[in-house]
Amino acid sequence: MSAIDELATELSRLPGIGRKTALRLTYHLLRQPPEQSRKLADALGGLADRVHRCSVCSNLTENDPCDICGDQRRDRAVVCVVEEASDIGAIERAGEFRGVYHVLNGRLSPLDGIGPEDLNVGRLVERVAPGTVREVIIATNPSLEGEATALYVQRQLAAHVPMISRIARGIPVGGDLEYADGVTIAQALSARREM
Amino acid sequence: MSAIDELATELSRLPGIGRKTALRLTYHLLRQPPEQSRKLADALGGLADRVHRCSVCSNLTENDPCDICGDQRRDRAVVCVVEEASDIGAIERAGEFRGVYHVLNGRLSPLDGIGPEDLNVGRLVERVAPGTVREVIIATNPSLEGEATALYVQRQLAAHVPMISRIARGIPVGGDLEYADGVTIAQALSARREM
């Protein structure tokens, strides 16, 4: 396969990038100075080597524990539970939340064969078991799967945590936390209700 | 900068990829096996090293001359002039053309400061000067800049080539007259053929 076809094939494996877009990007890179492709290649190469899961919260990070778990100014008594590590970035950009996180690495989805045992919930129960956590905010997406996941997590934690809350449906139902704007996320956080 | 931000920044330099899409692609890659990022990185790294300009037609190629210029079955007496190397792929996919190509590497565009001296025309005049070329088909885009470029190229070649033609402009096959612009309809009418 030619170098052009090879790159176009690899690019077209990315979500939302079809064959024509992949070719357009490839020819764009060929028109740029070679440094641009090299810097992109380096950034990609570094990704898998440098980024790992935080052993505390399962966030994607280059340090262990991650910058948030390691930050002494964050309130460890408030844990925000999210589906994916990318949701943490979305909440952090809202700039409202000063607690710590826990990443489930997915949501309950029987159709996709994803059950409770596939979620990172056991580690969450361990984290709250000592009784030092005052509140758990469940920030799974307000979708069918996200709600089922929230309910499941709430039941697992109920015995250990005095207050379990759910972010408000300021985020449109069926939407995706990753794409929500900061104001909406901030409102959803401040309007949270006890479960 | 973190590895995630670094990759998102490099991806967002690509045309049509904004900050949010770049982050989405980055997190997608983090969910895939690391081989996928590495293969993409390798394909990118190989691009600048392996792909060069053909010394004959300026096509982007890994061989010199390129596969088309080196193909003895192609008719060297017919040269199709295009703006960009990516246009060659589009014409080749149509499977109609059996001549060779010449890439101008751009189009006349005074607003962008691109003048005749920036186009790969001198080499084209050299190619046709010996008098072995029977026809030059000018296949620049039917835009304002493409038409100006076509006219300029035609003038440079007029003394050397018996026939200089321009690709037809008209309603695209499968297109709809109702949605075609007035200029295109006018062109399609004036270039009508007897049935």
Side-chain angles (χ1 to χ4, degrees):
Chain A
M1 200 170 7
S2 81
I4 292 174
D5 280 340
E6 229 166 72
L7 178 55
T9 303
E10 290 301 327
L11 284 172
S12 63
R13 285 190 216 284
L14 295 172
I17 296 190
R19 182 80 197 164
K20 278 199 174 178
T21 305
L23 271 172
R24 191 168 53 82
L25 293 175
T26 302
Y27 281 113
H28 168 84
L29 284 169
L30 281 164
R31 279 194 295 270
Q32 304 302 118
E35 295 88 75
Q36 196 180 337
S37 320
R38 292 228 177 80
K39 277 165 80 178
L40 182 51
D42 290 346
L44 280 160
L47 194 68
D49 297 331
R50 285 165 61 189
V51 179
H52 305 276
R53 293 276 170 194
C54 170
S55 60
V56 179
C57 72
S58 195
N59 186 12
L60 290 164
T61 172
E62 290 170 63
N63 308 311
D64 194 19
C66 73
D67 292 346
I68 294 170
C69 288
D71 186 343
Q72 294 305 318
R73 291 161 306 179
R74 312 266 323 199
D75 185 357
R76 271 138 232 276
V78 183
V79 177
C80 179
V81 177
V82 292
E83 293 178 15
E84 301 287 351
S86 47
D87 298 330
I88 293 182
I91 295 176
E92 286 296 292
R93 277 191 293 280
E96 275 291 303
F97 182 65
R98 299 303 303 158
V100 292
Y101 293 93
H102 192 87
V103 180
L104 296 175
N105 289 323
R107 68 213 65 100
L108 291 180
S109 178
L111 285 176
D112 301 316
I114 298 170
E117 67 284 357
D118 299 308
L119 300 182
N120 181 29
V121 175
R123 183 82 187 83
L124 177 60
V125 175
E126 279 173 37
R127 280 180 80 182
V128 302
T132 53
V133 172
R134 189 172 70 239
E135 177 176 358
V136 168
I137 303 171
I138 303 181
T140 54
N141 286 316
S143 62
L144 213 64
E145 291 94 345
E147 296 295 352
T149 308
L151 204 66
Y152 171 74
V153 171
Q154 186 258 330
R155 280 180 188 157
Q156 299 300 305
L157 302 184
H160 307 287
V161 187
M163 161 101 157
I164 300 175
S165 59
R166 179 87 175 97
I167 50 165
R169 279 181 194 77
I171 296 159
V173 174
D176 197 320
L177 211 87
E178 197 177 336
Y179 304 120
D181 66 284
V183 181
T184 306
I185 291 179
Q187 285 190 348
L189 277 170
S190 74
R192 65 188 186 272
R193 298 279 161 79
E194 190 171 354
M195 285 175 78
Chain B
M1 201 169 9
S2 81
I4 290 173
D5 280 339
E6 228 165 74
L7 179 55
T9 303
E10 290 301 327
L11 284 172
S12 64
R13 287 189 216 283
L14 296 173
I17 296 190
R19 181 80 198 165
K20 278 197 174 178
T21 305
L23 272 171
R24 190 168 54 82
L25 293 174
T26 302
Y27 281 114
H28 168 84
L29 284 169
L30 281 164
R31 279 193 293 270
Q32 304 303 116
E35 295 88 75
Q36 194 180 337
S37 321
R38 292 229 175 78
K39 276 165 80 178
L40 183 51
D42 291 345
L44 279 160
L47 194 67
D49 297 331
R50 285 165 60 188
V51 179
H52 304 277
R53 292 276 169 194
C54 170
S55 58
V56 179
C57 72
S58 194
N59 186 12
L60 290 164
T61 172
E62 288 170 64
N63 309 312
D64 193 17
C66 73
D67 292 346
I68 294 170
C69 288
D71 187 342
Q72 295 304 320
R73 291 161 305 178
R74 311 263 328 195
D75 184 357
R76 271 139 232 272
V78 184
V79 178
C80 178
V81 177
V82 293
E83 294 179 14
E84 302 287 351
S86 47
D87 297 330
I88 293 182
I91 296 176
E92 286 295 293
R93 277 191 292 279
E96 273 293 304
F97 182 64
R98 299 302 303 158
V100 292
Y101 293 94
H102 191 88
V103 180
L104 296 174
N105 288 323
R107 70 215 61 105
L108 291 181
S109 178
L111 285 176
D112 301 316
I114 299 169
E117 67 285 357
D118 298 310
L119 299 183
N120 182 29
V121 176
R123 182 84 187 82
L124 177 59
V125 174
E126 279 173 37
R127 281 179 79 182
V128 301
T132 52
V133 172
R134 189 172 70 240
E135 180 177 358
V136 168
I137 303 172
I138 303 182
T140 55
N141 287 317
S143 62
L144 212 64
E145 290 94 345
E147 295 296 352
T149 308
L151 203 65
Y152 171 73
V153 170
Q154 186 259 328
R155 282 180 187 160
Q156 299 300 306
L157 302 183
H160 307 288
V161 187
M163 162 100 159
I164 301 176
S165 61
R166 181 87 177 94
I167 49 164
R169 284 140 296 184
I171 313 290
V173 175
D176 198 322
L177 212 80
E178 193 178 341
Y179 302 117
D181 60 284
V183 182
T184 303
I185 292 179
Q187 296 262 11
L189 281 171
S190 75
R192 66 188 181 278
R193 297 276 163 82
E194 193 176 347
M195 290 176 71

